[in-house]
Amino acid sequence: MLRLRSAQAPAWKHRDGLQTRNQKYIRTDIQRGVLTRMQRCRDRSQTCLYYYNVILIAIALIFFFSCGKPDPTKQYAAAITEFATPQESLPYFKSKDLQPVWLEKDELKIQKELRGISPFTMTDQSNQSVTKDSMRGKLSVVSFFFTKCAGICPTITNQLRRVQDSIVENQDVKIFSFSATPDLDTPAVMSNYAKERGVDNTKWHLLTGKRDEIYKLARESFNADTITTGEKKRGRTDGDFLHSESIYLLDKNQRLRGIYNGKSQLSVDELIGDIRVLEKE
């Protein structure tokens, strides 16, 4: 019996030792797991802190540059079209770059450099003399064209015919189209053109005259010559002229009050509406 006990004692100690080692391993695994979780939380905290700092820096930069940037509206007069509040009345135009300005009646007396049409003497498709005085007391729609034009001219002419139809009962509105090739567009040629295009000779004057006079009027009154400086350097001269697609509206005092895209139906619709606005002035 004593041997049996002595034989069993080491076995019990062995099992007890194994159990103790297992407990140590379990505690070690738990500790490693806790440490791993703590490390992950620490990594996440560092990542969150990094992005938080990036966001703060970005907000600070945006605030810095937005505060440091000057207000562009303060560089111009309040009436310039890009920054002015739209008014019910139509703008006037001034200076070489055609800046639009809204003015009250009392301001017109002291305002200088308002753009309008220069004096001219032309002949229309009925072989009648037409001058700047022919526009006096009337609203005038002005364009540039030539009868042999196969590009934008037919489209502009069609749009102007819509304008003509809208003023057929109005004797205070006229259309004046200046030829860019007056040496080719004689009164007889333009008379045939008028018949083909449905032009009402009592409402719409197709004008021819001296080339230099027409080009000077187009450039100085309307900035209607679209030849660029680069094209002039490549051989274009003042004797060359490339008319714009624009249509211009003048008030009863021959001052420029509107500029429209002659190829755009929406823009010409605006022109027709602006004629009604000017009629009330």
Side-chain angles (χ1 to χ4, degrees):
M1 295 296 291
L2 291 173
R3 290 179 181 175
L4 179 60
R5 289 193 189 100
S6 62
Q8 290 177 346
W12 174 257
K13 290 181 179 179
H14 175 73
R15 288 196 300 271
D16 184 60
L18 178 61
Q19 185 177 9
T20 302
R21 286 196 299 272
N22 288 339
Q23 290 175 348
K24 290 181 179 179
Y25 293 151
I26 292 172
R27 284 197 300 269
T28 301
D29 291 341
I30 293 174
Q31 291 172 352
R32 287 176 179 173
V34 172
L35 290 174
T36 301
R37 292 190 185 96
M38 291 177 64
Q39 183 65 35
R40 289 177 179 174
C41 291
R42 189 180 299 110
D43 293 342
R44 289 174 183 171
S45 298
Q46 291 176 350
T47 302
C48 292
L49 182 61
Y50 170 76
Y51 285 113
Y52 179 74
N53 290 333
V54 169
I55 293 172
L56 286 180
I57 293 172
I59 293 173
L61 289 174
I62 292 172
F63 180 78
F64 174 79
F65 285 109
S66 62
C67 291
K69 188 175 181 179
D71 184 358
T73 62
K74 296 180 180 179
Q75 302 177 23
Y76 300 91
I80 294 179
T81 186
E82 286 82 2
F83 308 113
T85 302
Q87 306 292 325
E88 292 183 0
S89 61
L90 298 184
Y92 296 84
F93 293 82
K94 62 181 295 184
S95 69
K96 292 182 179 181
D97 56 353
L98 295 175
Q99 292 182 4
V101 292
W102 281 264
L103 302 171
E104 300 295 336
K105 289 184 178 180
D106 56 342
E107 295 177 303
L108 288 173
K109 299 177 182 179
I110 60 174
Q111 193 62 231
K112 298 181 180 180
E113 297 183 353
L114 292 181
R115 296 292 289 270
I117 193 167
S118 305
F120 66 88
T121 300
M122 302 288 163
T123 304
D124 69 5
Q125 70 270 31
S126 300
N127 208 27
Q128 299 296 314
S129 178
V130 178
T131 68
K132 179 179 179 179
D133 290 338
S134 304
M135 297 178 168
R136 190 179 303 277
K138 300 183 184 297
L139 303 180
S140 303
V141 178
V142 175
S143 70
F144 295 87
F145 82 113
F146 57 99
T147 59
K148 300 300 182 182
C149 174
I152 62 175
C153 296
T155 301
I156 296 174
T157 299
N158 290 338
Q159 292 296 335
L160 283 173
R161 194 165 60 246
R162 294 179 54 233
V163 178
Q164 173 187 268
D165 294 341
S166 72
I167 61 173
V168 66
E169 301 295 334
N170 192 335
Q171 299 302 315
D172 292 329
V173 185
K174 299 288 185 181
I175 303 173
F176 300 85
S177 294
F178 294 82
S179 172
T181 57
D183 49 338
L184 300 177
D185 291 335
T186 63
V189 170
M190 293 194 300
S191 179
N192 291 331
Y193 182 87
K195 293 176 183 178
E196 294 172 357
R197 299 290 179 175
V199 172
D200 182 348
N201 293 342
T202 65
K203 306 293 296 182
W204 189 348
H205 298 279
L206 306 179
L207 302 175
T208 187
K210 295 180 180 179
R211 176 192 292 239
D212 292 344
E213 184 179 355
I214 292 176
Y215 290 2
K216 182 178 180 180
L217 180 145
R219 291 166 178 153
E220 295 183 357
S221 298
F222 304 105
N223 293 7
D225 187 357
T226 61
I227 292 179
T228 64
T229 303
E231 288 174 323
K232 289 183 178 179
K233 290 181 179 179
R234 292 193 294 268
R236 296 272 190 172
T237 67
D238 290 340
D240 296 311
F241 179 79
L242 184 62
H243 72 87
S244 73
E245 62 196 27
S246 297
I247 299 174
Y248 308 89
L249 177 61
L250 306 179
D251 62 19
K252 294 180 181 181
N253 294 305
Q254 298 90 53
R255 292 176 297 212
L256 182 60
R257 303 297 299 277
I259 304 173
Y260 311 88
N261 186 338
K263 298 193 301 181
S264 167
Q265 181 172 337
L266 290 177
S267 187
V268 174
D269 287 343
E270 183 180 0
L271 163 61
I272 294 172
D274 287 349
I275 288 174
R276 300 191 183 98
V277 173
L278 281 186
E279 287 177 326
K280 297 177 183 179
E281 286 193 349

